[in-house]
Amino acid sequence: MSSITGTEADLLGEWFWCREVADGLYLIREQFFEAAKRANIWLVQGSQRDLVVDGGLGLRNLPSFLRAQGLIGNKPVLAVATHVHFDHSGGLHHFERVAVHRAEASALMRGDNYEAVTWLSDAEISRSPQPGWKANEYRVKAVEPSRVLDEGDVIDLGNRQLTVLHMPGHSRGSICLHDQENRILFSGDVVYNGAMIDWLPYSNVSDYIQSCRRLMTLVDNNLVKKVLPGHFESFEAEQLYRLTSSYVANAGTYHKFSMFTAKCIAIIVLWLKNFQRQIAR
């Protein structure tokens, strides 16, 4: 792989913020993306291979940053998308090995910016990644997955194994990754300390209810201690139960009708945005 110059390393170091949260576990964020919307990127270092959970926007080269920081080296690296929404999948094209759930694999292969919900404005990026960059030109690039994931698949890092849990609702291919031995759950956008988004084109409230009930069962069976979400800060099992049980309790007829209305609006806006992108090409 090509090396990067000191200037490039400095720019990457400014763009990405990184913190070690446990031995071999790192949280990474894109500093110049609006704080309320930026996704968490997780690096899990294994004895045989490393895992990156989600890829961010992709405005800067994340693997180059990780190499410059000495966080990845000669071991194989697999980047797994918890789902294909643009703030999680936009950076996947920088990686040699990529995995995504089967339900969203074709969208990733097409570079489908409708299903990726690509909705980025100049105001959300406080520093341009390059001269002349414009948010309305941003696209999630098509990526050929090297691995297609299904429920129950195991990602073996050598000293750690993570099980794929298909948790649709936020999107049809949303997954959590469960490190059962350490009772850690990488939850993506299925659940985080914020309002659950269930009004996007491929969201489904009924599926979300079932996924939340499944997460509640994990807590009941003492299989989760710590949740590492796709946004905001990490939290404990008790909060996971509160968030999921609250969603189930409030997802009644009125909620479903309200979300259906919001979903129709989102579909129209996203369709228009993608239509404009096609014309601009």
Side-chain angles (χ1 to χ4, degrees):
M1 295 184 180
S2 60
S3 60
I4 61 174
T5 66
T7 301
E8 288 172 317
D10 290 341
L11 289 171
L12 289 169
E14 292 176 358
W15 189 268
F16 293 104
W17 172 92
C18 180
R19 175 167 61 91
E20 186 174 18
V21 296
D23 186 30
L25 177 62
Y26 295 82
L27 169 61
I28 302 150
R29 290 173 177 151
E30 296 167 295
Q31 297 201 88
F32 301 110
F33 186 23
E34 185 177 331
K37 298 177 181 178
R38 69 176 67 132
N40 293 332
I41 302 165
W42 301 96
L43 169 64
V44 188
Q45 295 173 327
S47 59
Q48 296 180 10
R49 57 191 57 85
D50 297 329
L51 174 69
V52 173
V53 182
D54 289 328
L57 293 173
L59 298 178
R60 289 282 188 181
N61 191 305
L62 177 58
S64 292
F65 167 76
L66 296 175
R67 284 192 294 271
Q69 296 295 313
L71 297 177
I72 61 174
N74 295 324
K75 288 179 293 182
V77 179
L78 178 68
V80 174
T82 60
H83 60 303
V84 297
H85 290 168
F86 74 101
D87 49 332
H88 298 260
S89 68
L92 294 179
H93 69 279
H94 291 303
F95 291 87
E96 294 181 2
R97 300 176 182 86
V98 171
V100 66
H101 188 269
R102 184 175 303 278
E104 292 178 349
S106 61
L108 186 62
M109 287 187 281
R110 292 193 308 271
D112 187 338
N113 280 266
Y114 175 77
E115 185 156 357
V117 195
T118 304
W119 202 325
L120 190 63
S121 69
D122 290 322
E124 293 171 313
I125 304 296
S126 60
R127 179 184 293 185
S128 176
Q130 58 191 26
W133 180 87
K134 296 294 183 182
N136 63 3
E137 298 174 354
Y138 171 79
R139 310 282 191 278
V140 172
K141 296 182 179 180
V143 176
E144 185 76 28
S146 51
R147 183 174 177 183
V148 175
L149 301 172
D150 289 300
E151 165 71 27
D153 284 353
V154 175
I155 299 171
D156 186 358
L157 305 183
N159 59 333
R160 304 178 77 144
Q161 287 76 41
L162 293 97
T163 303
V164 176
L165 307 178
H166 184 207
M167 296 283 187
H170 175 68
S171 75
R172 59 181 174 178
S174 283
I175 61 170
C176 296
L177 296 176
H178 186 210
D179 180 346
Q180 185 168 339
E181 181 179 353
N182 295 295
R183 293 190 294 161
I184 293 173
L185 186 76
F186 295 89
S187 65
D189 280 5
V190 177
V191 59
Y192 48 76
N193 259 321
M196 295 183 190
I197 296 177
D198 56 3
W199 44 266
L200 295 171
Y202 288 92
S203 300
N204 185 291
V205 174
S206 296
D207 287 345
Y208 222 147
I209 291 170
Q210 295 306 313
S211 292
C212 284
R213 285 175 174 159
R214 189 178 180 193
L215 290 169
M216 292 163 65
T217 299
L218 290 178
V219 177
D220 286 337
N221 291 333
N222 198 31
L223 294 174
V224 175
K225 180 181 180 182
K226 190 79 171 180
V227 180
L228 308 182
H231 295 272
F232 311 125
E233 299 303 319
S234 304
F235 50 90
E236 309 298 323
E238 293 79 7
Q239 179 67 354
L240 174 61
Y241 195 91
R242 281 192 290 268
L243 290 166
T244 51
S245 61
S246 176
Y247 180 84
V248 171
N250 290 296
T253 302
Y254 176 76
H255 176 86
K256 290 180 178 179
F257 177 77
S258 299
M259 292 307 99
F260 175 78
T261 303
K263 185 174 183 177
C264 290
I265 295 171
I267 286 171
I268 293 170
V269 172
L270 281 166
W271 185 87
L272 288 172
K273 280 183 172 290
N274 277 274
F275 181 71
Q276 290 169 349
R277 289 191 188 101
Q278 292 297 326
I279 292 176
R281 287 182 177 179

